[in-house]
Amino acid sequence: MIWIFKILPVCIGVLCIIIAWLPERDRKIKNPVFTDGEVVGSVTQKIYQKHSETLSFAPVVRYQTEQGEITCTISYFVPEWQYRYHKGDKIKICYEKSQPQLCSIQNGSRYEIRKVLCMTVGIGILAAYAVLWVQYN
């Protein structure tokens, strides 16, 4: 029974590293298909933030599906100082197989934060376990 507690940190560290490399997809997309897309423009809308009016942006992307080429707007608007896509940028797209107009960006900023956090925690746990194992064995 004690061996379970000995290998539990290793299992948690490996699990964190595996979670970091899992692809992210939008929860609305049930049957995801991953493909490459290209940013062809952006859509703007006015938002009110901290009692002032500012612009927010969302990318317009073009990608190839089984039914043909689709151009759609990603429905995730961000303020202009956080918008990082430029016309002609190549990005990864995840879209619904039955509704190709329903899409999301594969490697968005939320994915990057999750990836860095999980990798740091996983590697930290494994390194700490290795140090303690060498010290006490």
Side-chain angles (χ1 to χ4, degrees), residues 2-90:
I2 197 87
W3 63 272
I4 292 175
F5 295 110
K6 287 183 179 180
I7 66 166
L8 187 62
V10 174
C11 294
I12 292 172
V14 169
L15 184 65
C16 285
I17 292 171
I18 290 171
I19 288 172
W21 288 102
L22 288 177
E24 182 186 15
R25 66 180 176 92
D26 197 343
R27 304 257 186 253
K28 296 179 253 177
I29 299 175
K30 303 295 183 215
N31 298 317
V33 177
F34 300 98
T35 187
D36 293 324
E38 180 182 1
V39 177
V40 294
S42 63
V43 175
T44 61
Q45 88 180 27
K46 291 180 182 179
I47 59 170
Y48 292 95
Q49 197 168 38
K50 296 182 182 177
H51 304 294
S52 65
E53 184 178 287
T54 185
L55 289 176
S56 63
F57 291 84
V60 177
V61 295
R62 180 174 45 221
Y63 54 95
Q64 196 68 27
T65 66
E66 295 171 354
Q67 292 85 6
E69 190 173 85
I70 300 286
T71 303
C72 75
T73 302
I74 304 296
S75 61
Y76 184 66
F77 283 85
V78 295
E80 60 185 327
W81 60 86
Q82 293 178 351
Y83 186 73
R84 63 179 181 167
Y85 301 107
H86 301 287
K87 194 172 185 178
D89 285 352
K90 304 289 185 207

Side-chain angles (χ1 to χ4, degrees), residues 101-116:
Q101 296 82 12
L102 184 62
C103 65
S104 67
I105 297 174
Q106 172 66 26
N107 291 339
S109 60
R110 291 178 293 168
Y111 173 75
E112 294 298 324
I113 291 170
R114 185 194 74 183
K115 184 176 180 179
V116 167

Side-chain angles (χ1 to χ4, degrees), residues 89-105:
D89 285 352
K90 304 289 185 207
I91 57 175
K92 295 282 187 185
I93 298 291
C94 174
Y95 69 90
E96 174 72 41
K97 188 171 186 172
S98 61
Q99 296 176 337
Q101 296 82 12
L102 184 62
C103 65
S104 67
I105 297 174

